[in-house]
Amino acid sequence: MERTTTTISPADVERQLDFCQKVAAVTAQWPQQPLAFVDTYGCQQNEADSERIRGYLAQMGFGFTTDEEKARVIVINTCAIREHAEQRVLGNVGALVHVKRRHPEQLICLCGCMMQEPSVAEKIRQSYRHVDLVFGPHALWKFPEMVHTLLTQRGRIFQNADEAGSIAEGIPVVRQDKVKAWVSIMYGCNNFCTYCIVPYVRGRERSRKPEDILAEVEGLVAEGYKDITLLGQNVNSYGKDLEEPMDFADLLEKVNAIPGDFLIRFMTSHPKDATHKLFETMARCEKVAPVLHLPFQAGNDRVLKAMNRRHTRAEYLDKIRDLKSLIPDIVLTSDIIVGFPGETTEEFEDTLKVLEEVRFDALFTFIFSPRPGTPAAKMEDPMSHEEKLQNFNRLLALQDAISEEKHGAYVGKTVRCLVDGFSDDSRWDLTARTPGNRLVRVVGGKEAVGQFRDVKITGANKWSLFGELV
Ligand code: 5AD
Ligand code: SF4
């Protein structure tokens, strides 16, 4: 199939906003304001997409609920990255059949990466007949039109054609948080790591124009947001597809130049594209948080090659050394897959060696999950699940010890943190984040939420820090 990236024209987005008005005219006639439940699985990109879905729904006259019994519209934004995530979604969608029996007028909508998989969409079509609307990430911008069609003529809609993907500007957004915001700077991925389904469901890399990104960040800063994360599957290849090419380091510099007291974060970076220039820019730009999430997935070169990661262990470690020499207190996090097909326990131990050398502050660890349609799903995978689990537990134990030691080093220090919310643990009042994004549970008054405050760190464990407002 010929794949071309398209920009959705402002007129086409405007037409969707007209559909919002048409739906709003319908919902205004209903006896009560209708409610929508938007449930999100997976990564921050999905969270950001859900904020746009909520933005559209708000324009259509909907309020929001997390009670599926009260929802006139349910939207489930799904994740395809691992089989476990997919099974949870299918279980929950299956259970909705009973809810809908009680509320036959309910509209059930499924979107996100799973819906871009043809086999999943087919399964929904055949076996989940209570689902009214299925759309992939590529069709999100047309959500109002689809809702309008369903409300005026019922039936089912499947909008999940395989596309290279597009960019649509000007979609309204309802953000969940008042302190932290996500800003997508690019969509899609060109890397085709052999285990990963993302390039198949999110299409090719395409970058938003810098002026659109800068305007969005300026707006957020004006609204009082203090912590802004630039999002993309591989932010380090930002800009390669723009008419006037610019790189991610240049973009960071421009975002850093926006006046105001706020922090800039970004994710995710691919080691092969993380450059010395990026590290220098991070060191120089005072608003860029001293933290880097740099997935290395596996520590053995044969495995890295089989994963199509296009970097070696030595190259990865060189980059980390370079970065640490420029930003000595850098907080480092990474993603790791245990049990990639054919990985032996000896090869897995190379992953442990990387942990010992780098001493990450935290890790996101996964056991390999075969994704249909990816090359790794067809590879020989002789190791038993038990053995993979044993290796996985060794990895966790080592990282727990490192995290605990790293967190312990904060005790006694005073750190300027962003107080971002209320603690769900009653022994602490608030939650805060260090510049390196470590969680701090804090004793202090609620008026501090949304502010940068000095926090005296009084304790730590492997998951988080504890402290009090100074
Ligand atoms: N199995 C296990 N983990 C995976 N990831 C991506 N695809 C898979 C898979 N098939 C992990 C990678 C990636 C993170 C977002 O999810 O570590 O960096
Ligand atoms: Fe998946 Fe690799 Fe792209 Fe990350 S860089 S989204 S792991 S293909």
Side-chain angles (χ1 to χ4, degrees):
M1 175 184 173
E2 180 65 21
R3 287 172 172 274
T4 48
T5 304
T6 43
T7 302
I8 308 301
S9 75
D12 281 340
V13 176
E14 203 50 51
R15 221 177 120 246
Q16 294 303 318
L17 297 176
D18 290 343
F19 277 112
C20 288
Q21 293 314 310
K22 283 186 190 153
V23 174
V26 175
T27 59
Q29 304 300 317
W30 295 351
Q32 280 171 348
Q33 187 194 28
L35 301 177
F37 175 25
V38 182
D39 196 11
T40 311
Y41 292 76
C43 66
Q44 263 81 39
Q45 185 57 58
N46 262 16
E47 294 288 349
D49 285 349
S50 287
E51 290 181 340
R52 296 197 291 165
I53 291 168
R54 283 197 193 88
Y56 271 146
L57 284 163
Q59 302 248 321
M60 293 182 226
F62 285 84
F64 297 98
T65 178
T66 51
D67 181 349
E68 52 206 24
E69 298 284 344
K70 296 202 178 111
R72 182 69 169 72
V73 171
I74 296 181
V75 183
I76 304 186
N77 193 356
T78 65
C79 170
I81 198 101
R82 282 170 293 275
E83 194 183 354
H84 178 70
E86 292 204 346
Q87 277 164 355
R88 267 177 59 215
V89 167
L90 289 177
N92 289 349
V93 174
L96 286 179
V97 85
H98 307 292
V99 182
K100 186 148 176 176
R101 225 168 261 150
R102 288 189 286 277
H103 309 284
E105 76 294 348
Q106 197 166 52
L107 282 186
I108 299 184
C109 316
L110 303 185
C111 62
C113 293
M114 267 173 88
M115 300 306 126
Q116 207 68 48
E117 289 178 85
S119 61
V120 174
E122 201 42 42
K123 192 179 212 164
I124 302 289
R125 195 191 291 276
Q126 303 287 344
S127 315
Y128 295 76
R129 302 202 59 84
H130 56 298
V131 173
D132 302 281
L133 170 60
V134 162
F135 61 100
H138 301 319
L140 187 155
W141 69 277
K142 285 187 274 201
F143 180 60
E145 184 171 358
M146 298 184 277
V147 172
H148 181 258
T149 306
L150 287 171
L151 285 180
T152 51
Q153 52 204 44
R154 294 302 289 204
R156 302 176 88 194
I157 299 180
F158 283 73
Q159 280 276 351
N160 56 342
D162 183 26
E163 292 171 29
S166 56
I167 291 190
E169 296 291 345
I171 296 180
V173 176
V174 171
R175 295 184 194 267
Q176 290 291 79
D177 200 292
K178 297 271 169 277
V179 184
K180 298 193 269 195
W182 318 111
V183 174
S184 297
I185 63 164
M186 60 187 301
Y187 306 94
C189 182
N190 290 354
N191 288 324
F192 290 94
C193 302
T194 53
Y195 50 80
C196 187
I197 199 165
V198 168
Y200 303 90
V201 293
R202 288 249 173 212
R204 296 292 66 74
E205 283 174 4
R206 49 217 190 268
S207 305
R208 289 178 70 196
K209 291 201 186 93
E211 54 271 30
D212 292 328
I213 297 168
L214 294 172
E216 184 171 347
V217 176
E218 277 163 15
L220 289 167
V221 173
E223 279 179 61
Y225 282 90
K226 296 278 186 270
D227 183 316
I228 291 171
T229 303
L230 307 178
L231 280 185
Q233 239 58 249
N234 176 18
V235 293
N236 299 139
S237 59
Y238 173 79
K240 286 183 183 160
D241 57 324
L242 290 171
E243 261 165 42
E244 283 175 52
M246 69 183 291
D247 69 14
F248 179 62
D250 298 331
L251 179 71
L252 264 189
E253 194 111 39
K254 285 192 192 318
V255 177
N256 188 68
I258 295 173
D261 189 13
F262 65 99
L263 275 178
I264 305 163
R265 307 181 189 284
F266 55 88
M267 67 188 302
T268 294
S269 297
H270 193 302
K272 76 177 167 54
D273 303 312
T275 57
H276 180 70
K277 177 179 171 188
L278 170 68
F279 302 156
E280 270 189 323
T281 307
M282 290 174 69
R284 194 175 53 246
C285 291
E286 75 289 352
K287 289 174 191 143
V288 176
V291 52
L292 185 67
H293 179 60
L294 197 62
F296 79 93
Q297 314 294 0
N300 177 273
D301 285 347
R302 190 201 65 78
V303 177
L304 284 170
K305 193 149 201 271
M307 288 177 160
N308 190 32
R309 289 291 289 175
R310 286 176 283 170
H311 63 83
T312 63
R313 172 169 65 162
E315 283 160 356
Y316 185 87
L317 293 174
D318 277 348
K319 296 208 179 196
I320 297 286
R321 265 190 291 274
D322 184 26
L323 175 59
K324 281 184 175 171
S325 74
L326 289 165
I327 312 176
D329 62 349
I330 186 85
V331 167
L332 289 166
T333 60
S334 196
D335 290 348
I336 290 172
I337 296 176
V338 175
F340 184 79
E343 184 185 56
T344 63
T345 291
E346 207 180 352
E347 288 171 334
F348 158 74
E349 283 166 354
D350 288 337
T351 297
L352 299 181
K353 286 185 198 138
V354 174
L355 259 61
E356 271 159 357
E357 179 147 345
V358 176
R359 304 192 75 73
F360 294 98
D361 293 77
L363 288 181
F364 300 88
T365 49
F366 311 100
I367 292 183
F368 171 74
S369 167
R371 306 313 299 129
T374 63
K378 297 191 209 83
M379 293 178 189
E380 291 265 356
D381 191 3
M383 191 184 275
S384 70
H385 184 69
E386 285 64 40
E387 203 176 337
K388 290 187 182 187
L389 206 56
Q390 269 174 18
N391 288 342
F392 186 74
N393 288 334
R394 283 174 73 189
L395 180 75
L396 291 190
L398 176 59
Q399 183 55 40
D400 281 353
I402 295 171
S403 295
E404 193 159 0
E405 187 190 314
K406 290 212 127 190
H407 285 164
Y410 285 86
V411 177
K413 292 188 177 151
T414 296
V415 185
R416 185 172 186 256
C417 294
L418 177 60
V419 182
D420 61 355
F422 299 102
S423 173
D424 53 10
D425 176 336
S426 60
R427 288 168 296 173
W428 312 93
D429 305 308
L430 309 170
T431 58
R433 292 278 169 174
T434 67
N437 217 20
R438 307 320 303 145
L439 171 66
V440 195
R441 296 193 183 277
V442 184
V443 177
K446 63 176 187 229
E447 70 289 345
V449 172
Q451 296 173 9
F452 287 104
R453 294 287 293 268
D454 281 339
V455 176
K456 173 137 205 255
I457 308 296
T458 54
N461 64 17
K462 63 187 175 196
W463 296 291
S464 62
L465 309 173
F466 306 96
E468 55 203 30
L469 292 183
V470 173

